[in-house]
Structure formats: C-alpha cells, structure tokens
Amino acid sequence: MKFFLDTADLAEIEEAASWGALAGVTTNPTLYSRIGGKLDDFHAHIKRICDIVAPDCPVSAESVAMTRDEIVRDGRELAAIAPNVVVKIPTMVEGLAATRALADEGIPVNMTLCFTVPQAILAARAGARYISPFVGRFDDISEDGLAQLDDVVRAIGNYDFSEDTVNGEQIEIIAASIRSANHVTQAALMGADIATVPFGILKKCVQHPLTDRGLESFLKDWEKVQNA
C-alpha cells in the first residue's frame, strides 16, 4: 500500500517527503481553506506542492464546478499546472460525464466522495484513474466505514477496468477520510492500494509505545557501555 498525504500545508508535505515514503498528495477545498488559501493563488499553490514531491507523485487538485462543461474546463486548467496533477471530481452525474471527457483527453481523474459499490463501479467505467471511498465520514454517522471500503475494494478487484483508464492502467483505490492508524492497518489488510492520511495520522503510523520503550532501553544500555 502507498501513502498519500491529505493536506495543503507545504511544511507538512516537505517533512513527509523527507521520510522517503510519500507517494502522493491529495488536497480539497476544505484543506486549502484551513491554511488560509486564496482563490487567486490556488493554481500557484498546487504548483508549489508539485515542485516539492517527486515528479511521479500524483497531486490531486479538486474542481468545485457543478456542471460537466465547467468541470472539464477546470480539469484542463488544473492538468496544465504540472504533469503529475490529477483532477479530483466528486462522484455525481455531472462528475461522471466530466470524468469520461477528461479521461478521453488523457487527463487522469480521482473520483472523490465515493461511498458505495455502485458509485465506485460507475466511476471506474467512466474512466477514473483513482477512486476515493471515504471511511471516517461513515463512522461519523454511526455506520461502518471500513466495511464499506472493503466492499469497494473487493468489487473493483472483481473486474478489469484497464480499457477504461487513460493509459490502460489498473484503477487504484484510495482509502480516504482516514481517522486513525487502525484505519490504515485495516485498509492495508483489505488490499486498498493507497491510504491518504492527515499528517498527524501519518506520524502516529510511525509511533508505538513499545518502540519508544525499546529505544529508551537501548540508549540506557549504551550509556553503560560508554561509561564502562
């Protein structure tokens, strides 16, 4: 499973990239708003993210348009920012139509706000390169988000959608709305291709109290060696 960072914060992206395990970045209007983003700087900000990560790391930038023609127009503009930009489009009727049009033009799409197997299959048939089922938002309404993710992973894995994607790639499932390290664990066990996680959760994936305890013990023992 690959790790994407779910943020628009440049400092977080730079730090995570320095760890050597970052495979991509996902952004959305909420994340951009949280860093005080301005409309007239949005494209430049996406370019700055693309400049930080490796050239083969996809960076999802979301269209907020609501009609297919406007989404396609947005998608073309976003894709022109950098070769690794992926256009993020909500799973809806107009989004499906726009995804098909953009895929036919060779522009990769990440279909977001996906919650059901039928939505995921429709996104796949429309030509989406990535599909992002949300986990935590199901949990917010007292439903099992991990079970829904498992359903999507298994359903998409039943079929070959390579004839629908831009360059014949296999669709990748991005486990999104990740709220804990356990969500990451379960997504990996289910076979999700990617987990896109907030920086705080990514740090928790590295940490464990037994690791800290073992390190503390090693350092104390090494101090004894130095003083022997």
Side-chain angles (χ1 to χ4, degrees):
M1 187 174 71
K2 292 181 283 190
F3 281 100
F4 284 10
L5 197 62
D6 196 31
T7 186
D9 188 300
L10 299 180
E12 291 181 348
I13 296 167
E14 287 176 345
E15 176 60 22
S18 75
W19 299 357
L22 185 64
V25 176
T26 56
T27 67
N28 63 41
T30 299
L31 295 172
Y32 185 58
S33 173
R34 284 178 185 167
I35 63 164
K38 305 297 183 184
L39 180 61
D40 60 2
D41 190 49
F42 178 63
H43 284 197
H45 191 81
I46 295 298
K47 180 62 167 65
R48 288 190 285 270
I49 293 174
C50 293
D51 289 343
I52 292 171
V53 300
D56 60 347
C57 286
V59 175
S60 288
E62 188 162 347
S63 169
V64 294
M66 295 302 293
T67 68
R68 62 190 71 185
D69 291 341
E70 291 173 335
I71 297 170
V72 169
R73 190 180 309 115
D74 265 3
R76 290 170 179 155
E77 292 176 357
L78 291 168
I81 295 171
N84 53 330
V85 167
V86 175
V87 180
K88 199 173 182 184
I89 299 175
T91 307
M92 58 183 183
V93 169
E94 295 299 291
L96 290 171
T99 295
R100 181 72 273 161
L102 290 170
D104 288 344
E105 293 181 16
I107 297 173
V109 170
N110 172 6
M111 289 219 82
T112 188
L113 291 172
C114 178
F115 293 94
T116 69
V117 168
Q119 284 182 317
I121 293 174
L122 285 165
R125 287 299 178 205
R129 174 66 177 82
Y130 303 93
I131 299 173
S132 294
F134 278 40
V135 176
R137 295 198 188 191
F138 266 117
D139 294 349
D140 291 344
I141 59 170
S142 300
E143 294 190 24
D144 189 345
L146 288 170
Q148 298 291 342
L149 173 63
D150 187 40
D151 286 348
V152 169
V153 169
R154 288 190 292 113
I156 294 299
N158 285 339
Y159 308 99
D160 182 0
F161 295 100
S162 59
E163 65 182 19
D164 298 297
T165 54
V166 172
N167 295 309
E169 311 99 332
Q170 291 298 327
I171 292 170
E172 292 185 270
I173 301 298
I174 303 177
S177 188
I178 296 295
R179 305 284 176 81
S180 68
N182 182 58
H183 278 174
V184 175
T185 298
Q186 299 307 316
L189 291 172
M190 291 170 190
D193 302 288
I194 299 159
T196 187
V197 300
F199 186 58
I201 300 301
L202 188 64
K203 288 193 293 184
K204 288 182 179 179
C205 288
V206 181
Q207 299 163 345
H208 194 280
L210 292 179
T211 302
D212 296 338
R213 189 182 305 172
L215 180 58
E216 182 182 4
S217 175
F218 290 158
L219 291 174
K220 286 181 178 178
D221 289 339
W222 188 248
E223 185 177 358
K224 294 175 184 177
V225 171
Q226 290 177 313
N227 296 329

